[in-house]
Amino acid sequence: MRGVRGERWRRVASQVGRSVAVWVVSTLTMLLLAGILPDFRLRSADGDSATDIAVTGALGAGAFGLLSALVWPLLVRLLLLVPALVLGLLVFFLNGALLWLALRVNPVERGAAAPETAVVVAAVMSAVASATGAALAVRDDDAYRRRLYRLADRRRRTTPPCPPTPGTVFLQLDGVGHDMLVDAVGKGLMPTIARWLGTGSGGDRPTHRLTPWRTDWSSQTGASQLGILHGSNHDVPAFRWYEKARREVMVCNRPTSAAELQARAIEYSGHAGLLAHDGASRGNLFSGGAGEQALVLSIATRRRGPAARSRAGYFAYFSDPANAVRTALSFIAEVGREIGQSTRARLRKQRPRVSRGGLYPFVRAFATVVERDVVVAAVMGDVLAGRTAVYADLVAYDEVAHHSGPASRDTEKVLQRLDRALALIENVTEHAPRPYRIVVLSDHGQSPGETFRSRYGLTLGDLVRAGCGLPVPRRARRTHSGAEARAAVRAALRRPVEEGSEHYRPTRGSEPVVLASGNLGLVSFPDVPHRMTKEEIDARHPALLPTLANHPGIGFLLVRSERHGGVVLGAYGAEIPLDELDGTPGPLAAFGPGAADVVRRTHTFPHTADIMVNSFHDPADGEVLAFEEQIGSHGGLGGAQSRPFLLSPLALSAPAADGAEPAGAEQIHQVLRRWLTESDEAELPTAPDRERAA
């Protein structure tokens, strides 16, 4: 008993010591700022002694610390209905208001700050206090471990006891292809993954295996993640497509479309999803049937119920003022970093290059800072709560690669930060109430290359109009980027639909709708209620299909045929029926194994476009030509975009027999579903075992 009491008093003394240290550092910071900033003072107008000024600083720092701990969470809770990005902008002003209040309640009645100065002082003090507390906690491993256990205990009070079987964390590195991951590990950019694979400098035994897999024809997050989480991506032909019966353009990263696609997948597959049993979905397009959701696009249009819980993920993170200030400062730094990198690329006249102005620096900062910080914090909370399955999407690499290129210096920095996030989550699993297996995967890769527009001076839409005999604009128009990060931004702002894009309103009934999804293009004729045949298209526009098929920037076309059911068209009059594709040299030869299978599957979809257009692909350098303004793209066939990866613990069964590559997102769903049923406690120690070992 005496030993237990002694340990308890030691813990209390240690905690008091850290609190005093943070208070002292905060006081010194406040005194330093008072000496630097002209509009911030800690003395009365008549002047005070150094002792009086120090007392004022100490009382002000203490009051600010207490208000931050007690009042800040209440303010965040009251602002639950404010969009998350707006809250991010309010972080500094709310913090400044707390500092102003701290000075006002100071019993010695000295000290004042201009409103704009209070914002600066509060931000600096919060950052310094956070850094000091973190440094002290890192130096005291026992304190750090106890803090994690306290967080876990707090969460377990509101959740049922978790079983001793292992839980699983699925971490999706959006857009990171298999070859890109191997290259990053070889360059030393991702030491955590290198250690798991046994290729790190420490000579560790491998704990994970790396397996490539093949996507469907639509190599983008909407199709892949829907198939992975819900077991079906049937009738998702691209990132965006036109549905004639609904007269609507479906876009995978639009909340209304995501909700509709999720409902269709649930009906088609017959089950709620991968995460239906005690699961959590974080930062995804779809819920996977999880009961706990944060930053999930498919529920972003709802105002109550699951949508409120989803938005609460932001507020659970920002309720800590230190988190809010740290993320806000990192956000500003990332905006500056992007402006500097884009300026350097422009001055050096790098090619290929796309415009990176407008709102893009803020979208990039949201993806690489805000979304990452909130999602990682949510996953850590899920682990400490002992949830059975967690699936989280980190979109940072994909967003930067679209504009900087898949293998640029910009993306290398992003991969390094993602690796640190993996290490942080791994460290937290050591303090979880159950053992955890970490599975890392990607939904697709990215293929480099110029844009179709920059190489040929016209868009796919312009080429289609020319083939139809319609007037072509003198200046080619840009197509909007389909980067997944914009989905998270739109959900955070709660702007569910892009104005004017929900329903297609053709100016002329016979004009085609031309849509782009990376290097995959879709052409539909809205005045024809069914999917047109090659014969019907030739009768209406005799020059259209030859114009497209013979263009040097086009790889192949897929159209429906009255005679053959479906045909692939290529240059020089190539026309191959779908049932004769295997083993036939032709337009698909450059696109590798499995191309014929995914093309045949897409042909069976009810909403496949009248003409499916895949861009040119050069197997020698892996380049494709994006129909969007992206120099790193995905969405069709060709190159690294179709070859993502699956990094799984050796304790789990192999993804496929005999080292084969899994094919299609639906097969990946079956693999992950199988892993959730596997339990090998001999390979993974229980929480008490880990605690004793520590």
Side-chain angles (χ1 to χ4, degrees):
M1 180 65 70
R2 184 174 303 172
V4 173
R5 289 180 179 177
E7 174 65 17
R8 185 178 303 167
W9 280 111
R10 190 184 71 82
R11 292 180 180 180
V12 172
S14 178
Q15 185 173 356
V16 170
R18 288 196 304 275
S19 300
V20 171
V22 172
W23 184 17
V24 170
V25 172
S26 298
T27 300
L28 294 175
T29 303
M30 180 173 280
L31 293 172
L32 178 63
L33 293 173
I36 296 174
L37 301 174
D39 295 328
F40 179 45
R41 60 181 176 83
L42 295 176
R43 61 183 178 179
S44 64
D46 299 331
D48 293 303
S49 66
T51 302
D52 292 335
I53 295 174
V55 170
T56 303
L59 293 175
F64 179 66
L66 288 175
L67 289 172
S68 296
L70 300 177
V71 177
W72 180 272
L74 298 177
L75 289 175
V76 174
R77 182 59 57 186
L78 291 175
L79 292 172
L80 185 61
L81 297 180
V82 176
L85 286 185
V86 177
L87 177 64
L89 297 176
L90 289 176
V91 163
F92 293 111
F93 298 102
L94 292 173
N95 232 16
L98 289 181
L99 177 69
W100 180 85
L101 181 60
L103 294 176
R104 297 292 293 178
V105 300
N106 195 324
V108 299
E109 297 182 354
R110 289 187 291 263
E116 62 275 12
T117 305
V119 170
V120 175
V121 174
V124 174
M125 289 188 61
S126 294
V128 170
S130 174
T132 303
L136 292 173
V138 169
R139 290 178 63 88
D140 186 350
D141 292 338
D142 290 337
Y144 178 67
R145 186 179 295 110
R146 288 195 299 272
R147 180 174 178 271
L148 291 176
Y149 282 143
R150 284 198 302 272
L151 290 174
D153 291 338
R154 190 182 309 164
R155 291 180 178 275
R156 282 195 292 271
R157 293 190 197 115
T158 60
T159 58
C162 60
T165 54
T168 308
V169 176
F170 302 105
L171 298 173
Q172 178 179 303
L173 303 187
D174 206 302
V176 181
H178 173 271
D179 295 345
M180 178 56 59
L181 184 77
V182 171
D183 185 60
V185 170
K187 290 180 178 179
L189 301 175
M190 308 188 79
T192 302
I193 291 183
R195 174 166 49 82
W196 291 350
L197 292 174
T199 60
S201 58
D204 302 280
R205 294 180 59 186
T207 60
H208 287 63
R209 66 170 64 87
L210 181 63
T211 306
W213 64 279
R214 298 197 305 272
T215 67
D216 304 285
W217 188 359
S218 181
S219 54
Q220 47 87 20
T221 303
S224 292
Q225 198 178 87
L226 188 66
I228 292 170
L229 288 178
H230 288 280
S232 171
N233 58 8
H234 175 76
D235 202 20
V236 181
F239 179 79
R240 49 174 69 88
W241 66 95
Y242 180 72
E243 296 194 352
K244 296 184 176 183
R246 298 159 58 100
R247 296 180 61 82
E248 180 179 341
V249 176
M250 298 287 286
V251 186
C252 287
N253 73 348
R254 181 187 298 154
T256 52
S257 297
E260 173 65 22
L261 293 176
Q262 180 172 303
R264 293 179 185 179
I266 291 173
E267 181 179 3
Y268 194 86
S269 65
H271 59 80
L274 181 72
L275 310 174
H277 175 64
D278 188 30
S281 180
R282 309 299 188 188
N284 300 312
L285 296 181
F286 310 102
S287 72
E292 292 292 330
Q293 305 178 40
L295 319 184
V296 175
L297 188 72
S298 61
I299 62 173
T301 56
R302 306 177 193 173
R303 300 290 176 174
R304 298 179 181 178
R309 293 199 302 272
S310 179
R311 290 190 296 274
Y314 280 109
F315 300 95
Y317 179 80
F318 285 118
S319 61
D320 184 341
N323 287 345
V325 171
R326 182 173 60 251
T327 297
L329 291 174
S330 299
F331 181 94
I332 294 172
E334 187 70 13
V335 170
R337 184 179 295 113
E338 162 55 27
I339 293 174
Q341 291 172 346
S342 62
T343 301
R344 183 172 62 249
R346 187 168 60 253
L347 293 176
R348 293 179 177 177
K349 298 182 179 180
Q350 292 181 0
R351 291 289 185 272
R353 189 178 75 246
V354 294
S355 173
R356 291 160 61 172
L359 291 177
Y360 170 68
F362 299 95
V363 173
R364 166 175 164 167
F366 182 88
T368 58
V369 176
V370 180
E371 196 266 356
R372 178 203 64 200
D373 287 355
V374 175
V375 167
V376 169
V379 171
M380 291 167 59
D382 294 326
V383 168
L384 293 174
R387 303 202 191 285
T388 300
V390 183
Y391 194 104
D393 186 11
L394 297 169
V395 302
Y397 171 86
D398 187 71
E399 177 60 30
V400 177
H402 278 310
H403 296 81
S404 300
S408 64
R409 290 174 55 190
D410 300 359
T411 56
E412 288 183 350
K413 298 296 184 182
V414 174
L415 290 172
Q416 288 177 314
R417 293 197 291 267
L418 288 175
D419 188 80
R420 288 196 291 268
L422 297 180
L424 180 60
I425 293 172
E426 180 189 31
N427 289 337
V428 171
T429 62
E430 297 175 1
H431 306 275
R434 67 192 301 176
Y436 270 95
R437 304 169 291 198
I438 298 179
V439 175
V440 186
L441 72 160
S442 59
D443 48 347
H444 54 79
Q446 286 217 16
S447 297
E450 287 185 83
T451 68
F452 188 88
R453 174 177 175 269
S454 66
R455 177 169 292 189
Y456 299 110
L458 78 168
T459 67
L460 177 63
D462 296 329
L463 185 63
V464 170
R465 292 183 65 85
C468 293
L470 298 172
V472 178
R474 291 186 178 181
R475 297 189 65 182
R477 295 166 294 178
R478 293 182 180 181
T479 53
H480 293 291
S481 170
E484 284 85 343
R486 285 157 178 75
V489 174
R490 190 173 297 122
L493 288 172
R494 302 213 332 247
R495 297 180 60 184
V497 179
E498 295 175 0
E499 185 66 27
S501 65
E502 181 71 15
H503 295 280
Y504 173 75
R505 297 180 178 86
T507 55
R508 298 178 182 177
S510 60
E511 290 193 5
V513 177
V514 182
L515 300 172
S517 297
N519 73 317
L520 179 63
L522 297 90
V523 183
S524 299
F525 293 90
D527 61 320
V528 179
H530 59 268
R531 182 181 174 193
M532 294 184 71
T533 64
K534 177 181 181 297
E535 292 78 7
E536 290 175 318
I537 296 172
D538 286 338
R540 175 183 283 198
H541 301 295
L544 177 57
L545 293 178
T547 296
L548 294 175
N550 288 294
H551 192 278
I554 304 298
F556 67 91
L557 311 177
L558 169 66
V559 294
R560 178 171 163 248
S561 168
E562 294 178 0
R563 179 180 178 184
H564 300 290
V567 294
V568 167
L569 306 180
Y572 310 111
E575 180 176 335
I576 304 176
L578 292 182
D579 56 4
E580 299 177 11
L581 285 175
D582 293 319
T584 302
L588 294 185
F591 294 89
D597 294 334
V598 297
V599 170
R600 275 193 291 260
R601 179 173 183 258
T602 302
H603 176 69
T604 65
F605 292 168
H607 292 109
T608 295
D610 295 331
I611 308 173
M612 300 288 290
V613 185
N614 203 100
S615 87
F616 163 83
H617 164 57
D618 185 352
D621 55 19
E623 289 192 348
V624 299
L625 301 176
F627 298 126
E628 300 182 80
E629 290 302 295
Q630 301 171 346
I631 59 174
S633 68
H634 57 89
L637 283 172
Q641 62 181 319
S642 301
R643 202 164 184 254
F645 73 89
L646 187 59
L647 182 69
S648 58
L650 296 175
L652 298 171
S653 58
D658 301 324
E661 293 185 4
E666 293 182 0
Q667 185 173 348
I668 296 299
H669 171 84
Q670 296 300 327
V671 172
L672 303 191
R673 200 176 183 90
R674 184 211 324 148
W675 285 347
L676 288 179
T677 65
E678 295 179 1
S679 176
D680 191 345
E681 297 183 49
E683 293 286 341
L684 295 166
T686 62
D689 292 335
R690 287 197 306 262
E691 185 176 353
R692 285 193 296 269

